[in-house]
Amino acid sequence: MTAARQQIGLEVWKFGGASLADGQAVARAATRIAAHEGPLVVVASALGGVTDLLLEGAAHAVEGRTDEATRVARTVRNRHHAAAKAVLGRGRALREVLASIDASVGEYRDLCRAVGVLRHLAPRTRDALVSRGEQLSAAIVSAAIAAARRPATFVDALQVVRTDDMHGGAAPKRGESALLAEKILKPLLRKGVIPVVPGFIGRAPDGSITTLGRGGSDLTATLLARILHARRVVLWKDVPGILTADPRVVPDARLIPELHHQEAAEVAHYGAKVLHPRALIPIAGTRITLHVRSFIRPDQPGTEVSGRHVLPGYPVKALAILPAQAVVTVAGKGMVGVHGIAARTFAAVDAERLSVSTIFQASSESSIGFTVPASEADRAVRGVSHAFRHEIDSGLIDGVSVRRGVSVIAVVGEGMAGTPGIAARVFSALEGGGINIVAIAQGSSERNISFVVSSEQATDAARRVHAAFQLSKIGGGRARALPHTDVVLLGFGRVGRALADQIAALDGARRVRIVGLLDRSGYVFDARGLSRSRLLRLARQKDAGELLADLGGTRASAREALDLMASHAVSRPVVVDVTSEQTGDLLRLAATAGFDLVLANKKPLAVPWDEYARLMAAVTGASRHLRYEATVGAGLPIIDTFAKLDETGDRVLRIDGCVSGTLMFVLSQVSAGRPFSEAVREAVVRGYAEPDPREDLSGQDVGRKGLILARLLGYRGAAAAPDDLVPASMKSLTLEAFMSQLPSLDASWLQRIQREAARGRVLRYVVSATAKGITAKLVAVPATSPMGAATGTRNIISFVSRRYRDEPIVISGPGAGAAVTAAGILNDICALSAR
Ligand code: ADP
Ligand code: ASP
Ligand code: MG
C-alpha cells in the first residue's frame, strides 16, 4: 500500500525560465536530467522572458498594432529556433522541433491578427496565446534529453492538468488530473521514460486552455508530485534557494536551509516571486519535500521545504515584499452600527475575484480596509461601492477610498505572531528609519505580521526589519534581541585572563559573555559563549606557549576570523584589544564588521594624527563606538572624567600627572632608598611593567598616554619626546643582558636621589598635556606634595578646566596591574551595553 502510494523515489523537477534562458542552459538542464538515476517527471517553464514577450505581442494586437505583434512573433520564433539548434544536432529531431515551433508561432500570429481585428482580448484568448511558451520549451527540452540518450517524451499538460475556468489564474482540479496522470504518465514512468510536461497551463471544463497565474509552473510541479505520489519536487532556479528576503531588495539576504511547508506557503502568499502563491497547496500535509535549488550551483543543497517543524527559538524566517499595491478603505462614523460590514465587503471583493493580500480594521470599527494589486484597485472600489450604495446614499458610510503607491511587507515565520516582542521589534526598526506605517494587518495566521508602507519607503523598511532580526546572520531570526554583550578578546595574556575572571564574577543581570579569542595563529569561537572551564584551559595552555590554532581553534587570519564571527547573530559584539601591538588595521576591520571597540592597548591610538583620524572615521562611519578608559590610569576614571566635564560644557585646559604606575613604583621605591635595579626587577615580577621594562623607562609608554590625553584636548600634533631613563648604551641589549646590567645604574640614581632629598624633593615622572602639546619629564617635586607623597603604582591626574581653574580636580589611585586594567575594560564594556 505505502509503496503504491509513495512511488519509490519519484521526483518532479521543474526548470524555471532563468534555467532555460537559451540553448546552452537547455543543454545543461538536459545533461543533468539524463544523469539522474531514478524515475523523473520534468516540468518546463517557458524560456526566460518568453511569457513576457507573448503577452507584449498580445497587448500590441489588441491596440491594433499588428505589425508589432508580428515582430514579436518573429522574435519568439527565432529564440526557439536558436535554442533548438544549439541542443539538437542536425537531423530529424531538429527538423521536427523546428516545424512544431513554426506551426505554433504561426498560430500565435494568426490569433494576434484576429485580436487586432476584434480589438478585444478575452482572458481565455490571452491564455491560449501565452500557453505556447511552455509548450515550445517542453518540446525542446524533451528532444534535448532524448538527444542525451535518455528516453524522454513530451506530454502536453492539456492532456493531464484539469482546472477550473478562471482564465489567467486557474486552480487545478486534483482528482480529475490524478486520473489522467494515472492513465498517461504512469505507463511512461513504468517504462523508464521521462515525461516532459509544460508547466503553467491546463484545460478548463469547457475544453479551453487556462493558465495558473504568473509563475504557475511551480504549481504544475507540486500538483504532479502530489498526484503521482512523488518523493520530492525540485525547483531549479536562478537563486541559491529561498532566501530571507528578495535579494534584489535586501542585498544581504541569506539562504534559509530548511523551512516548513506552511512557512514557505506564507512567503509565497506574500508575493515573494520565488514561489507561486499557491504552489504549496498540493503538498501541504504530505511527506513530499520541496527543494529550491540553484541551477547555477547544483552542488549546493538549497532550501528544503518539508512538513517537519524546524528549530524553535528562531521564529522569524523571512520577509516578503509585495510591491505595487493599493489600500482600499471603507470608512464612516455610522459604520459602527451597520451590520456585517466586513462580510459584505469581502463578499463584494470575492464577487470580483480579486486577490486580497491583507485585511485590516481600525479598532474603532469606523473603517475597514484591504490591499489589492494596484492594477485591480478600480475594480475593487467599484465592487465595494456598489455593495454599499444604500449606506453611502444615506450617509452611514462616507465612501470607499483608495490609496495607491503602497507595498505590503510580511514578516514570516512559524508561531511568530504568538511570540511577544516581535511586533515591537518590527515597529521600532521602522520608527528608527522614520518610516510611516500606513496600516498593520490583522494576524490572520500565527505565521506572519504584515504592514503597509508607501512604496518609496518599502526597500528601506524591508532592510531595516531584516537587519533588526539579524536575518543575514547565522542564528538570526530570534524573537527578541539577546540581552548579552558578546566579547571577542584580541590577545589572551594576563589582562585578558583577569577580565575573563571579572566577567565570570559579574552578576547574571549584566550578561557579558566572551564568545571568541583571537591570536596571531587563529581563533576560537562559540556564539553561545565560551565556558569558563574552556577559558581556563585555554589560558593554561597559552601559558605553556601554545597558539589558539593548535588548541582546538581554527587557523585563520584575523580578517577571516572577524568575518566569520560577524556572520553569526552575535549580540552587541565588542572587540577588546589587550595586546600591545599595532592593531589599527584590524580594529578598523572589526568596526566595519559591526563590532564596538574597547582598548587597553595604547598603540593603535598613539599613532600619527592621520592614522588616528582614520581609525576614528572607520568607527563613526560604521556607527560603532570606541572606548579606551584602560589606556590611561588603568581602571581610574580618567577619560570618563574628561568626558563628563566636556559634556556639561566645561572646557578642560590641561591634564597633568603621574600616569605611569611602573615609573611611580620604581621612583618611589628608589626615593625610599631601594637600589634602582631591584625596584625595576620587582616592577617586572609584579606585572606592573610592560614585558620589556625599557618601554616604561624610556618614557615611550607614558608618552603614548600623554598623546592620548592631549588628543582629548584637541591636540593634533606628534608625540612628545619623553625624558629617557635608559642610557643609550643599554638600548640595543637583549632583555636578559639589560636586566643583568641594571645594577650598574644604581650608584648614579642613588646620588641623584640624595641630592634632591637634601632639598626636600623627590623625583617623579610627570606628563602634561594641553591642546598645544605634550611634555613627559623626570622632575623634582616637593616630597610633601600629593605627587611626592604618592607610593606604589599610584597614578595622580589633575584636570584644570574653566570651572576648575584655581583648584584642579584630582583623581588618584592604583594605575597599573592586570586586575585594575581589566576593571577599566569591564567598565567600558558595561558602558557600551548600557547604551
Ligand atoms: P523561476 O525561474 O523558477 O520562474 P523565479 O524567477 O520565478 O524563478 O523566482 C526566482 C526569483 O525570485 C529570484 O530571481 C529572486 O529575485 C526572487 N525572489 C523574491 N523573493 C525571494 C526570496 N525570498 N528568496 C529567493 N528569491 C526571491
Ligand atoms: N512562464 C510563466 C511565467 O513567466 C510561468 C512560469 O514561469 O512558471 O510566469
Ligand atoms: Mg517563477
Side-chain angles (χ1 to χ4, degrees), residues 14 16-17 45 214-218 237 273-276:
K14 181 224 117 164
S45 289
R214 293 306 303 263
S217 303
D218 295 339
K237 305 221 175 215
K273 182 174 177 257
V274 67
L275 283 177
H276 180 277

Side-chain angles (χ1 to χ4, degrees), residues 739-771:
M739 293 306 280
S740 70
Q741 287 184 31
L742 264 180
S744 66
L745 303 176
D746 289 350
S748 69
W749 273 101
L750 186 64
Q751 255 177 25
R752 213 165 155 188
I753 291 290
Q754 283 172 342
R755 208 166 47 232
E756 296 299 345
R759 289 191 260 160
R761 302 206 287 200
V762 292
L763 292 172
R764 289 293 181 260
Y765 204 102
V766 178
V767 160
S768 296
T770 67

Side-chain angles (χ1 to χ4, degrees), residues 175-390:
E176 288 174 44
S177 306
L179 292 176
L180 293 167
E182 186 70 34
K183 217 165 75 197
I184 297 166
L185 297 178
K186 279 282 172 65
L188 292 171
L189 288 168
R190 274 196 289 270
K191 280 190 281 181
V193 175
I194 297 176
V196 182
V197 185
F200 181 51
I201 61 175
R203 203 185 277 292
D206 67 357
S208 61
I209 301 175
T210 52
T211 62
L212 311 180
R214 293 306 303 263
S217 303
D218 295 339
L219 177 54
T220 306
T222 52
L223 172 76
L224 293 180
R226 171 66 185 267
I227 63 190
L228 293 168
H229 308 294
R231 184 179 57 153
R232 94 166 104 194
V233 190
V234 182
L235 308 178
W236 296 98
K237 305 221 175 215
D238 66 344
V239 275
I242 300 177
L243 309 179
T244 50
D246 187 338
R248 291 167 303 182
V249 180
V250 182
D252 62 352
R254 215 172 80 82
L255 177 73
I256 307 171
E258 289 177 40
L259 212 53
H260 189 267
H261 280 153
Q262 288 179 320
E263 292 174 317
E266 209 88 13
V267 169
H269 172 75
Y270 281 97
K273 182 174 177 257
V274 67
L275 283 177
H276 180 277
R278 286 175 282 129
L280 270 302
I281 294 174
I283 60 171
T286 71
R287 294 174 63 174
I288 301 170
T289 56
L290 177 138
H291 294 251
V292 178
R293 296 183 57 183
S294 164
F295 180 69
I296 304 130
R297 296 290 311 272
D299 53 314
Q300 301 291 311
T303 300
E304 179 180 302
V305 180
S306 74
R308 267 197 326 267
H309 293 262
V310 283
L311 279 185
Y314 302 90
V316 180
K317 293 285 173 15
L319 301 185
I321 304 135
L322 202 52
Q325 301 289 296
V327 174
V328 179
T329 314
V330 186
K333 293 278 171 296
M335 270 175 65
V336 186
V338 184
H339 189 69
I341 296 272
R344 284 167 61 199
T345 302
F346 295 108
V349 167
D350 198 48
E352 294 284 333
R353 307 197 94 167
L354 292 166
S355 49
V356 171
S357 47
T358 56
I359 299 169
F360 37 86
Q361 182 163 32
S363 54
S364 67
E365 279 190 43
S366 61
S367 77
I368 183 165
F370 56 89
T371 51
V372 287
S375 58
E376 294 177 357
D378 289 336
R379 211 144 53 83
V381 172
R382 235 179 293 124
V384 177
S385 303
H386 183 74
F388 290 111
R389 59 193 179 283
H390 300 305

Side-chain angles (χ1 to χ4, degrees), residues 492-737:
F492 196 47
R494 270 211 278 250
V495 175
R497 270 166 243 168
L499 180 64
D501 286 339
Q502 290 179 19
I503 287 176
L506 278 182
D507 65 58
R510 298 229 202 234
R511 311 226 193 196
V512 180
R513 320 185 287 192
I514 297 180
V515 294
L517 302 178
L518 211 60
D519 71 10
R520 72 193 132 87
S521 73
Y523 67 92
V524 169
F525 176 71
D526 186 340
R528 295 161 304 178
L530 295 167
S531 71
R532 180 144 171 71
S533 56
R534 177 130 187 238
L535 285 170
L536 278 175
R537 204 164 53 240
L538 287 168
R540 266 200 307 277
Q541 291 164 314
K542 284 219 44 141
D543 276 343
E546 290 188 74
L547 290 169
L548 290 173
D550 305 318
L551 297 174
T554 307
R555 193 169 297 283
S557 69
R559 174 191 286 262
E560 289 164 341
L562 286 172
D563 279 348
L564 174 114
M565 295 177 192
S567 73
H568 283 77
V570 279
S571 161
R572 294 187 283 196
V574 184
V575 161
V576 174
D577 183 356
V578 287
T579 66
S580 51
E581 277 146 53
Q582 277 303 353
T583 48
D585 290 346
L586 190 75
L587 294 174
R588 283 204 309 278
L589 260 171
T592 319
F595 291 89
D596 286 325
L597 307 175
V598 170
L599 312 188
N601 180 12
K602 296 171 275 288
K603 286 192 181 152
L605 297 174
V607 284
W609 173 259
D610 294 356
E611 217 176 305
Y612 177 84
R614 209 142 39 100
L615 175 59
M616 297 301 165
V619 171
T620 37
S623 306
R624 294 293 100 203
H625 296 264
L626 165 67
R627 299 185 68 98
Y628 48 96
E629 185 65 270
T631 55
V632 184
L636 299 179
I638 309 294
I639 317 271
D640 213 35
T641 301
F642 168 81
K644 297 232 159 86
L645 291 172
D646 195 55
E647 265 164 30
T648 54
D650 198 354
R651 168 111 171 268
V652 179
L653 303 171
R654 56 183 301 134
I655 306 175
D656 305 277
C658 299
V659 289
S660 166
T662 322
L663 292 176
M664 177 61 86
F665 181 82
V666 171
L667 294 172
S668 63
Q669 293 270 315
V670 173
S671 301
R674 194 120 185 253
F676 180 72
S677 59
E678 267 181 39
V680 172
R681 240 179 232 130
E682 186 170 349
V684 172
V685 171
R686 290 198 185 206
Y688 299 153
E690 298 293 312
D692 184 337
R694 282 172 292 189
E695 289 258 331
D696 297 290
L697 297 173
S698 65
Q700 291 302 320
D701 189 63
V702 90
R704 287 186 192 112
K705 292 178 184 170
L707 185 56
I708 291 171
L709 292 175
R711 281 189 176 151
L712 289 176
L713 307 184
Y715 175 66
R716 290 185 168 213
D723 278 358
D724 194 341
L725 310 186
V726 184
S729 61
M730 296 175 85
K731 287 259 174 220
S732 51
L733 297 178
T734 62
L735 180 56
E736 267 160 36

